Amino acid sequence: LCSGTTNLIASTGTFSDGSGNTNYLENSNCSWLIAPPGASQVSINFTSFNTEITNDVVTIKNINIIKTISSIGVKSNPDSS
């Protein structure tokens, strides 16, 4: 299962928390840094997504401008933590 930050540098690919068909671990804190060399933009397409609305947060950020692009889940302001 995931832990810490995983660096993704390929120009295409997939990523997951590694739990497969089982539930992810409680209190998981997973991060993926998507930074293909020479890329000026990155697109993310979720083909499967399953979270607990009362407990989970997924946040997509642009670290170059330190801005939250999207946040899905229970926190109303993910930057406040």
Side-chain angles (χ1 to χ4, degrees):
L1 299 176
C2 66
S3 65
T5 299
T6 301
N7 294 308
L8 304 174
I9 59 171
S11 59
T12 62
T14 62
F15 63 96
S16 76
D17 68 352
S19 62
N21 292 330
T22 62
N23 291 333
Y24 52 86
L25 298 175
E26 288 189 23
N27 299 314
S28 292
N29 188 359
C30 308
S31 296
W32 294 268
L33 176 61
I34 305 171
S40 60
Q41 64 183 16
V42 172
S43 296
I44 300 172
N45 179 32
F46 292 101
T47 56
S48 178
F49 205 83
N50 188 7
T51 61
E52 291 181 275
I53 193 65
T54 58
N55 296 311
D56 300 331
V57 176
V58 175
T59 304
I60 300 170
K61 294 183 177 186
N62 181 333
I63 63 169
N64 293 321
I65 57 174
I66 311 172
K67 179 180 178 184
T68 298
I69 297 169
S70 180
S71 185
I72 303 164
V74 69
K75 287 186 180 179
S76 61
N77 183 1
D79 292 329
S80 67
S81 58

